């Protein structure tokens, strides 16, 4: 008999060789019908794989991320089976699961696939899925694996096999299709009820531009047709909310080939939005005891050699800036932290001076491949809302809690209500890849876990996901469409204080190393604005809107009254503009709605005579007649809320 420990802590005894599916059946037939795979001692297995020793077992369903990943990987195999049936001689590269869906890199030989072929492939996938073919795992020797794919003529699988040690190779077969795969897979194809191929792309084999370009086919599947319908609706909504589309329509930012790919140009309205975000966070930081600093956009090569960033970014980053002085080299700044370390070192520090909190909206530059650039979410120049806290080990927990408060304040003000915090800890079984003492790691990890718990955060703990220099807390935010984004991050760092020989004098009159905390509630201004645009579909909170009102004169006769109103509102720090165009009022209203301007103030003969305005609100319609003072009070009240 072996002991199986379930997630609730209960322990059950089973015969040696029991499978996860049999465990599920012993609990509930309903549960068994939904099991896709199982996590056995932290590793995901086929539900049909025998368990030979005492183990911790978690049964995985569609509701588990690892269950979905298994489902979508199995779907990639199903698509490959359909492709092979429709296009004999097709060769296959790799076919992994993605966060949503899957892809497979395919060599069709002389055939060129297009989206016109998608329907036929989808239909074939569902036809094959209905056979409920089992995914059968089979260990094979390296020699047998080479023989199989040599006979099949698939050089891509042979290229993969040559790097695999003998004794580690497995095949998976479903129906008439066999693939090289380590698994795991779902029990059978019958779980797949709906399939949709999403797009095509080119992908060089193993990412090597000197090798053949394969066709990458992206797809997604679901256990219910209704879920596919809902997913496709979200995709269409996402297209409407695409920050690249709205950024252009709302005149927020632009890109120029002459300026350079991945280097955004912030237009006046986008700059106004950015400055409001900056002022909002700076005001909160001043209250929290931060000191603002400014550092150069470049730094001497030796600065980044000391910090380790040269080793990490040097080869794949912007190349050195050479000066007339022989041997002198500078780099565009890839990170703000080395500069802040040098600011910390400008004077002696006592334990009484700590924590020191240095904040900067600092622009940094990293060379991203052109194919990886994407609007504002992946750029080559971006501004981080960076801060670095230098504190004593006994202050880490308190500082962490204060930073969590700041992050949650930012999320709350901007309408991000659905988030989870990922606590990333070091691997206790492989301490050699981390720096710092066991004592400091224990202090920092305990501080993070306790701080998150005391703040009531929903957390997930990921062992082994810590940075080599310290544990961290990442905030994963869901937007209005349910998509996940990493925004805020808090990281403990024992590395840079050591590299820069940072010190403070302790109460024992001895020199000690401070602990460094990296913190960025926005992450980067560019990425944050992109996420915010898509989250609110360009309908920004009133306090953040670049234009809070637009005055719409019914005719030229009322432009002087419109100017007087505009000046009075701007004197109260309420920003907007006047539509002087010779257009009918209906057209002006429609255009203001498209531009998502929060308030439309219509002025004509009656309004000018009575000193009032007719107010419309974006998305809501007519609010009636108001005095200018009543309107100002409404704006102030809405901003305060």
């Amino acid at each position: 008999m072996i002991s199986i420990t379930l997630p609730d802590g209960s322990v059950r005894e089973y015969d040696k060789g029991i499978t996860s599916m049999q465990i599920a059946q012993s609990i509930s037939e309903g549960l068994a019908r939904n099991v896709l795979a199982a996590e056995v001692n932290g590793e995901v297995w086929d539900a049909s794989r025998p368990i030979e020793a005492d183990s911790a077992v978690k049964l995985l369903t569609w509701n588990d991320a690892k269950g979905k990943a298994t489902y979508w990987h199995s779907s990639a195999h199903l698509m490959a089976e359909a492709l092979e049936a429709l296009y004999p001689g097709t060769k296959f590269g790799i076919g992994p699961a993605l966060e949503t869906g899957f892809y497979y890199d395919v060599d069709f030989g002389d055939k060129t696939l297009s989206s016109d072929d998608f329907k036929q492939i989808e239909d074939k996938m569902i036809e094959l899925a209905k056979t409920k073919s089992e995914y059968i795992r089979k260990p094979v020797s390296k020699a047998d694996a080479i023989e199989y794919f040599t006979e099949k003529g698939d050089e891509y699988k042979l290229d993969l096999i040559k790097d695999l040690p003998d004794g580690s190779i497995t095949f998976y077969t479903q129906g008439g299709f066999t693939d090289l795969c380590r698994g795991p897979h779902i029990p059978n194809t019958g779980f797949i009820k709906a399939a949709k191929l999403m797009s095509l792309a080119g992908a060089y084999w193993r990412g090597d531009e000197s090798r053949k370009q394969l066709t990458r086919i992206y797809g997604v599947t679901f256990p219910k047709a209704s879920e596919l319908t809902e997913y496709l609706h979200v995709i269409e909504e996402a297209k409407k909310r695409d920050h690249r589309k709205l950024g252009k329509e709302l005149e927020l930012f632009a890109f120029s080939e002459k300026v350079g790919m991945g280097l955004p140009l912030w237009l006046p309205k986008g700059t106004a939005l950015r400055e409001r975000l900056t002022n909002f966070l700076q005001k909160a930081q001043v209250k929290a005891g931060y000191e603002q600093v400014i550092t150069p956009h470049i730094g001497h090569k030796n600065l980044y050699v000391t910090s380790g960033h040269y080793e990490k970014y040097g080869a794949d980053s912007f190349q050195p800036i050479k000066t007339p002085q022989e041997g002198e080299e500078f780099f565009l700044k890839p990170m703000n932290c080395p500069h802040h370390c040098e600011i910390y070192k400008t004077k002696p520090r006592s334990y009484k001076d700590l924590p020191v909190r240095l904040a900067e909206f600092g622009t940094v530059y990293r060379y991203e491949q052109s194919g990886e650039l994407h609007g504002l979410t992946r750029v080559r120049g971006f501004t981080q809302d960076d801060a670095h806290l230098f504190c004593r080990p006994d202050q880490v927990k308190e500082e962490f809690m204060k930073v969590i408060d700041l992050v949650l304040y930012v999320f709350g003000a901007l309408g991000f209500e659905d988030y989870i915090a990922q606590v990333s800890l070091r691997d206790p079984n492989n301490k050699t890849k981390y720096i710092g003492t066991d004592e400091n790691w224990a202090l920092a990890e305990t501080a993070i876990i306790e701080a998150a718990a005391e703040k009531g955060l929903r957390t997930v703990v990921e062992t082994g996901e810590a940075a080599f220099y310290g544990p961290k807390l990442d905030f994963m935010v869901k937007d209005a469409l349910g998509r996940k984004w990493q925004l805020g991050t808090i990281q403990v760092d024992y590395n840079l204080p050591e590299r820069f020989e940072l010190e403070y004098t302790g109460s024992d009159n001895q020199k000690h190393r401070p602990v460094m905390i990296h913190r960025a509630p926005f992450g980067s201004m560019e990425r944050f604005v992109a996420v915010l645009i898509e989250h609110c579909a360009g309908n920004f909170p009133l306090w953040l809107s670049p234009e809070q009102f637009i005055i719409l004169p019914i005719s030229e006769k009322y432009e002087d009254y419109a100017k007087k109103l505009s000046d009075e509102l701007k004197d109260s720090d309420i920003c907007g503009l006047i539509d002087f165009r010779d257009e009918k009022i209906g057209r002006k209203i429609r255009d203001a709605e498209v531009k998502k301007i929060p308030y439309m103030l219509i002025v004509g003969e009656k309004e000018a005579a009575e000193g009032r305005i007719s107010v419309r609100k974006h998305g809501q319609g007519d609010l009636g007649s108001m005095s200018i003072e009543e309107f100002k009070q409404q704006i102030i009240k809405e901003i305060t809320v």
Side-chain angles (χ1 to χ4, degrees):
M1 302 292 285
I2 57 172
S3 297
I4 300 297
T5 304
L6 298 173
D8 63 0
S10 63
V11 179
R12 295 185 176 216
E13 300 292 323
Y14 293 98
D15 290 332
K16 185 178 179 182
I18 189 84
T19 68
S20 301
M21 182 60 75
Q22 289 168 333
I23 293 171
Q25 288 167 342
S26 75
I27 298 171
S28 157
E29 283 295 334
L31 173 62
R33 284 194 294 272
N34 291 301
V35 167
L36 299 175
E39 193 171 347
V40 180
N41 298 326
E43 184 180 346
V44 182
W45 284 17
D46 303 324
S48 59
R49 187 170 168 183
I51 302 171
E52 305 291 345
D54 293 349
S55 300
V57 174
K58 179 183 179 183
L59 301 171
L60 301 175
T61 70
W62 178 251
N63 296 323
D64 300 291
K66 291 178 180 178
K68 282 189 174 77
T70 305
Y71 183 94
W72 281 322
H73 181 49
S74 298
S75 299
H77 280 235
L78 179 66
M79 182 178 73
E81 183 183 6
L83 292 171
E84 192 169 71
L86 292 169
Y87 313 110
T90 298
K91 300 172 185 179
F92 299 95
I94 58 171
L98 301 172
E99 185 175 353
T100 301
F102 56 89
Y103 71 78
Y104 219 125
D105 289 341
V106 181
D107 182 353
F108 288 104
D110 295 332
K111 177 175 172 58
T112 300
L113 198 75
S114 76
S115 58
D116 293 337
D117 301 305
F118 284 181
K119 179 67 166 61
Q120 184 184 25
I121 299 167
E122 293 161 3
D123 289 345
K124 190 65 176 178
M125 288 175 69
I126 297 305
E127 176 191 324
L128 294 169
K130 288 178 179 177
T131 65
K132 298 185 179 180
S133 298
E134 291 184 19
Y135 287 87
I136 300 170
R137 181 178 186 269
K138 179 186 176 184
V140 295
S141 68
K142 190 165 188 174
D144 287 346
I146 291 171
E147 181 182 357
Y148 179 84
F149 283 106
T150 299
E151 185 177 336
K152 192 174 183 182
D154 195 327
E155 63 267 32
Y156 305 105
K157 297 300 181 183
L158 291 170
D159 191 33
L160 294 171
I161 290 168
K162 77 178 192 309
D163 297 328
L164 300 175
D166 205 355
S168 69
I169 300 171
T170 52
F171 284 1
Y172 273 85
T173 299
Q174 91 273 359
F177 180 74
T178 296
D179 205 354
L180 171 73
C181 184
R182 64 172 173 265
H185 285 282
I186 61 177
N188 64 69
T189 60
F191 285 83
I192 300 168
K193 304 292 188 185
K196 182 71 176 175
L197 303 191
M198 303 300 295
S199 62
L200 297 171
Y204 291 105
W205 175 237
R206 292 198 154 187
D208 184 345
E209 294 182 13
S210 67
R211 305 181 79 169
K212 184 166 183 177
Q213 189 177 65
L214 307 183
T215 301
R216 178 168 292 179
I217 309 173
Y218 289 93
V220 68
T221 52
F222 289 92
K224 294 180 182 177
S226 60
E227 292 183 66
L228 174 59
T229 301
E230 182 181 344
Y231 173 75
L232 294 176
H233 171 73
V234 169
I235 293 293
E236 286 305 309
E237 185 63 27
K239 289 177 183 176
K240 297 176 190 173
R241 293 169 176 252
D242 190 318
H243 75 278
R244 295 167 298 175
K245 172 179 175 287
L246 290 176
K248 184 177 181 179
E249 291 174 359
L250 301 178
E251 300 177 19
L252 300 176
F253 61 88
F255 289 92
S256 161
E257 287 187 11
K258 287 184 178 178
V259 172
M261 295 175 67
L263 300 171
L265 299 170
W266 290 90
L267 306 180
K269 294 175 186 177
T271 300
L273 184 149
R274 252 184 83 131
E275 287 181 347
R276 285 195 171 94
L277 280 172
T278 300
N279 294 337
F280 161 70
L281 187 56
Q282 281 181 336
K283 186 176 178 181
Q285 286 178 163
V286 168
K287 287 183 180 179
Y290 288 79
E291 298 174 288
Q292 200 73 21
V293 297
I294 298 174
T295 60
H297 287 246
I298 65 172
H300 196 283
K301 175 182 174 180
N302 290 341
L303 177 69
Y304 305 119
V305 170
T306 300
S307 69
H309 291 106
Y310 177 75
E311 182 181 354
K312 181 175 181 182
Y313 293 108
D316 298 319
S317 191
F318 290 105
Q319 295 307 292
I321 303 166
K322 297 186 183 295
T323 72
Q325 184 171 326
E326 187 176 349
E328 186 175 51
E329 293 182 345
F330 288 81
F331 274 87
L332 288 171
K333 178 171 62 173
M335 298 285 268
N336 297 303
C337 35
H339 298 72
H340 291 188
C341 288
E342 288 297 307
I343 290 175
Y344 177 90
K345 288 180 71 173
T346 55
K347 64 181 182 180
R349 309 282 182 174
S350 160
Y351 72 98
K352 294 181 179 178
D353 300 326
L354 270 54
V356 172
R357 307 182 187 96
L358 304 178
E360 176 180 17
F361 282 84
T363 302
V364 298
Y365 304 89
R366 298 179 197 166
Y367 186 79
E368 300 283 358
Q369 296 293 331
S370 59
E372 296 176 343
L373 298 173
H374 183 82
L376 293 180
T377 60
R378 200 75 180 263
V379 290
R380 290 172 172 167
F382 53 94
T383 301
Q384 293 180 308
D385 58 320
D386 240 347
H388 297 96
L389 293 70
F390 303 88
C391 58
R392 304 188 307 266
D394 63 291
Q395 294 174 317
V396 169
K397 178 181 174 182
E398 182 182 0
E399 289 305 302
F400 240 83
M401 292 181 73
K402 289 179 179 178
V403 175
I404 289 172
D405 284 338
L406 188 60
V407 171
L408 299 188
Y409 172 66
V410 169
F411 288 175
L414 294 164
F416 291 109
E417 299 171 354
D418 190 354
Y419 52 82
I420 193 166
Q422 178 178 306
V423 180
S424 298
L425 309 177
R426 72 172 173 171
D427 183 351
N429 299 316
N430 187 13
K431 295 179 181 179
T432 55
K433 66 179 185 178
Y434 306 97
I435 71 161
T437 65
D438 287 347
E439 180 185 8
N440 279 342
W441 271 89
L443 275 171
E445 291 184 338
T446 301
I448 291 175
I449 292 168
E450 289 181 353
E454 289 181 30
K455 289 297 176 184
L457 298 180
R458 287 192 302 130
T459 59
V460 57
V461 176
E462 295 290 349
T463 301
E465 291 298 312
F468 75 93
Y469 49 76
K472 58 181 181 172
L473 189 70
D474 292 323
F475 287 85
M476 312 301 292
V477 175
K478 275 190 179 181
D479 67 11
L481 297 181
R483 298 169 301 178
K484 289 182 184 176
W485 302 87
Q486 183 192 324
L487 292 181
T489 185
I490 318 171
Q491 302 179 1
V492 177
D493 187 351
Y494 298 111
N495 178 42
L496 288 184
E498 194 69 39
R499 282 180 172 269
F500 281 92
E501 299 180 343
L502 305 184
E503 295 178 337
Y504 68 90
T505 303
S507 57
D508 58 1
N509 214 32
Q510 300 297 309
K511 297 295 183 184
H512 299 271
R513 288 268 185 265
V515 180
M516 189 174 177
I517 297 176
H518 304 249
R519 179 240 70 182
F522 290 154
S524 83
M525 188 65 76
E526 284 70 14
R527 180 179 170 84
F528 192 87
V529 169
V531 175
L532 183 62
I533 289 171
E534 297 194 9
H535 177 61
C536 65
N539 298 303
F540 301 112
L542 183 62
W543 65 271
L544 196 54
S545 295
E547 294 164 338
Q548 295 166 321
F549 69 85
I550 183 168
I551 301 176
L552 309 177
I554 287 177
S555 71
E556 187 180 344
K557 288 191 294 184
Y558 308 108
E559 287 182 0
D560 287 342
Y561 180 56
K563 290 174 186 175
K564 178 187 172 187
L565 290 173
S566 178
D567 290 343
E568 188 172 343
L569 290 169
K570 288 178 180 178
D571 286 343
S572 299
D573 291 325
I574 301 170
C575 301
L577 69 160
I578 305 171
D579 187 344
F580 289 113
R581 296 177 303 157
D582 185 19
E583 297 282 359
K584 291 185 177 180
I585 194 66
R587 172 66 185 270
K588 289 184 178 183
I589 291 171
R590 284 195 300 274
D591 290 348
E593 288 281 359
V594 169
K595 291 180 180 178
K596 302 178 186 292
I597 298 173
Y599 284 97
M600 290 149 272
L601 311 181
I602 301 164
V603 293
E605 181 179 2
K606 183 179 180 183
E607 287 79 15
E610 297 178 357
R612 296 175 72 83
I613 51 179
S614 292
V615 182
R616 289 182 64 90
K617 190 168 185 180
H618 171 63
Q620 292 186 20
D622 188 13
L623 299 185
S625 175
M626 297 184 191
S627 69
I628 191 69
E629 191 59 37
E630 287 171 334
F631 178 68
K632 282 195 284 187
Q633 291 305 312
Q634 171 151 333
I635 294 287
I636 291 167
K637 180 181 178 183
E638 189 172 337
I639 288 173
T640 304
V641 170

